[in-house]
Amino acid sequence: MLLAIDCGNTNTVFSIWDGTRFLATWRIATDHKRTADEYFVWLSSLMAITRTEAAITEAIISSTVPRVVFNLRVLCNRYFDCRPLVVGRPDCALPVAPRVDQGATVGPDRLVNTVGAFDRHGGNLIVVDFGTATTFDVVDDDGAYVGGVIAPGVNLSLEALHMAAAALPHVDVSRPQRVVGTNTVACMQSGIWFGYVGLVKEICSRIKAERDRPMKVIGTGGLAPLFGTTDVLFDSIEDDITMHGLVLIHRFNTAPEDA
């Protein structure tokens, strides 16, 4: 069994892969103070409830929060007796190396999304990930990550409005019926919704023009299905592209040399 861990700035996702499918997926708030023991108590309880206690023998980690990696590695070493692969470390190879500026670092989540999306959709992709940040990952025709765009996340923008403007409340993301709001909440929802629809359209349009080729747009992340209900933003929406990429990277690093 493979334990795949995707640690983002807001949430950390744990999935168990049995070689053919994901048996279970769980989400917990990211907290760099959480110890390996706390992770295990939480995880083992869920495994028992869902009857997925089968032995975990391998693990892979992708983390955009460096401070949590140590305790996640201890979790795998201490409780599952395995040394996890960590995406972005020298001993974790990628099927195709990224082509970016020399010395530049690329977020592990973006590398994993690239691998997962390329496997399912081929090359010439724009992967739009609605996370703490809204990221646009450009995948070349051979599956290489070749750059992208980083914009503030939807919820981050809403939180900034609420925190910086005393008169503006915290509101949930929802699709408004009209552009012009007739109250404060409706005005904020319209601004966020149509603002991000416009952001996705414009950035993707400019990427396609700059690359001068047809490109598919793949949406992922928690809010992708919601934004996928309007206009034609995405060619496909994949809710498990990151976990799929982790499985592929693990397979690439552990396959026999003559395979």
Side-chain angles (χ1 to χ4, degrees):
M1 295 283 191
L2 172 67
L3 177 62
I5 305 173
D6 172 36
C7 177
N9 289 290
T10 304
N11 293 311
T12 301
V13 181
F14 294 74
S15 288
I16 297 178
W17 174 258
D18 71 352
T20 58
R21 64 188 182 96
F22 288 108
L23 297 180
T25 297
W26 304 292
R27 187 179 301 265
I28 192 172
T30 298
D31 182 358
H32 70 272
K33 296 179 182 178
R34 186 172 287 114
T35 66
D37 303 326
E38 290 174 309
Y39 278 120
F40 181 70
V41 170
W42 171 79
L43 189 58
S44 60
S45 298
L46 289 171
M47 291 170 68
I49 291 171
T50 55
R51 299 182 181 180
T52 52
E53 305 99 318
I56 291 171
T57 57
E58 299 173 290
I60 184 168
I61 300 168
S62 168
S63 177
T64 59
V65 187
R67 296 176 70 184
V68 307
V69 174
F70 175 77
N71 282 325
L72 290 173
R73 294 183 69 170
V74 172
L75 166 72
C76 298
N77 286 323
R78 179 180 297 166
Y79 290 105
F80 303 119
D81 194 26
C82 65
R83 182 175 180 270
L85 281 169
V86 181
V87 178
R89 298 288 175 89
D91 62 342
C92 183
L94 298 172
V96 183
R99 291 194 287 271
V100 293
D101 293 342
Q102 187 173 1
T105 58
V106 181
D109 56 331
R110 309 184 78 178
L111 298 174
V112 173
N113 283 349
T114 294
V115 173
F118 177 72
D119 180 70
R120 286 183 174 170
H121 300 281
N124 294 319
L125 305 175
I126 304 169
V127 183
V128 184
D129 189 349
F130 290 87
T132 304
T134 300
T135 59
F136 298 73
D137 303 324
V138 180
V139 185
D140 212 345
D141 54 6
D142 64 347
Y145 172 88
V146 293
V149 177
I150 300 176
V154 177
N155 286 313
L156 190 64
S157 295
L158 278 171
E159 190 64 25
L161 271 177
H162 173 59
M163 295 295 292
L168 297 182
H170 178 79
V171 300
D172 293 326
V173 182
S174 64
R175 179 179 179 177
Q177 297 299 312
R178 299 186 301 170
V179 176
V180 179
T182 54
N183 57 70
T184 299
V185 170
C187 290
M188 291 175 67
Q189 288 176 331
S190 178
I192 287 293
W193 179 269
F194 292 109
Y196 273 87
V197 168
L199 179 142
V200 171
K201 282 185 175 181
E202 181 68 11
I203 289 179
C204 288
S205 175
R206 288 181 176 270
I207 290 173
K208 291 175 182 178
E210 189 172 289
R211 300 282 292 170
D212 192 24
R213 67 191 70 180
M215 303 182 75
K216 291 182 180 179
V217 180
I218 311 302
T220 190
L223 290 175
L226 181 61
F227 277 91
T229 62
T230 184
D231 299 348
V232 186
L233 292 182
F234 311 114
D235 294 289
S236 179
I237 295 175
E238 307 277 353
D239 61 355
D240 65 341
I241 205 78
T242 304
M243 285 302 169
H244 180 60
L246 283 173
V247 170
L248 294 172
I249 293 172
H250 179 269
R251 185 182 301 159
F252 181 77
N253 281 269
T254 57
E257 291 293 333
D258 58 351

